[in-house]
Amino acid sequence: VPKRPDDIAVIIANSNYKKLGKDIPNVTPAYNDAENIKRYFTQALGVREGNIIYLKDATGTQMTSVFGSKEDHRGKLFNWTKKNISKVYVYYAGHGDYDEDANKTGYWLPVDATRDDPSNWVMTDYVVNQIKAMDAKHVMVVADSCFSGELTRGIKIDYGSPNWIKKLLDKKARVALTSGDLEPESDSGGGGKHSIFAKVFISLLEE
């Protein structure tokens, strides 16, 4: 397809948690799933290679640089996006968590995370805040992680319509597609090459 020079994509594949993290297992399919998503973004949606922020095994500092923080939402994604022009696609594969007590929010876990210390976990609210502030033409966030359903609060999708996922890509919309709800488990496919969610998501895109 023709290249779309103003569209932006973020792809994060957090697989190797054992190297830098503590008490967190690896996510085996993350690399392969991210590569397939990257091919779809470039070949089917026309996102330029130079407009893709691609992070393998992202640390907390790297993820904050992309999505911003509580103090400043203007991360790299915000700065790259052209108001009312850019379509933005975000794909995250890795571990997630949810704070039921204090913040009532979800998190994406960087590879240098510690299970009992959320100090460098990345709030999904940071992602949402950037989406609200940058006023892109279209935003789609795809999360393959535990507790990922926190992103979908207030978003309704008509799954019964023909080719619903492709129709969403053409609208000025804010869309979150996730591998689960607020439950703690999201099936990664038993340690195989691809997660169950990624297989289904890609098959829908190819219909």
Side-chain angles (χ1 to χ4, degrees), residues 17-174:
Y17 283 85
K18 291 184 178 180
K19 183 177 180 180
L20 298 176
K22 185 177 180 181
D23 302 324
I24 301 177
N26 289 341
V27 180
T28 305
Y31 294 156
N32 287 330
D33 292 340
E35 285 296 326
N36 280 339
I37 295 297
K38 181 182 178 183
R39 280 194 291 271
Y40 180 76
F41 286 169
T42 56
Q43 296 176 15
L45 298 182
V47 181
R48 293 174 55 251
E49 288 270 356
N51 285 9
I52 297 178
I53 301 170
Y54 193 98
L55 299 177
K56 292 177 67 174
D57 295 331
T59 64
T61 299
Q62 289 174 316
M63 292 178 70
T64 301
S65 73
V66 174
F67 297 116
S69 64
K70 182 178 180 180
E71 292 75 24
D72 188 358
H73 64 264
R74 293 170 295 183
K76 185 180 293 185
L77 176 59
F78 177 88
N79 292 329
W80 281 24
T81 301
K82 293 185 178 180
K83 185 175 180 180
N84 295 320
I85 296 175
S86 299
K87 289 186 177 182
V88 175
Y89 308 99
V90 177
Y91 175 82
Y92 171 76
H95 280 297
D97 211 319
Y98 183 73
D99 184 351
E100 295 185 2
D101 300 321
N103 298 313
K104 301 289 184 181
T105 189
Y107 296 88
W108 288 346
L109 271 58
V111 294
D112 56 347
T114 300
R115 174 60 67 187
D116 298 325
D117 180 12
S119 60
N120 75 335
W121 299 3
V122 176
M123 281 189 182
T124 53
D125 283 353
Y126 299 165
V127 183
V128 174
N129 288 341
Q130 281 213 53
I131 289 170
K132 291 179 179 178
M134 63 192 179
D135 199 18
K137 183 176 180 180
H138 172 92
V139 181
M140 181 174 70
V141 181
V142 181
D144 192 355
S145 66
C146 296
F147 301 98
S148 54
E150 192 271 341
L151 282 164
T152 66
R153 290 180 300 182
I155 298 176
K156 297 180 180 179
I157 300 173
D158 180 11
Y159 295 101
S161 63
N163 300 317
W164 61 270
I165 196 166
K166 291 185 178 180
K167 289 185 176 181
L168 286 174
L169 295 176
D170 294 327
K171 293 182 178 180
K172 184 174 183 179
R174 304 294 180 263

Side-chain angles (χ1 to χ4, degrees), residues 6-24:
D6 298 313
D7 290 356
I8 309 297
V10 176
I11 300 173
I12 297 177
N14 283 353
S15 176
N16 189 354
Y17 283 85
K18 291 184 178 180
K19 183 177 180 180
L20 298 176
K22 185 177 180 181
D23 302 324
I24 301 177

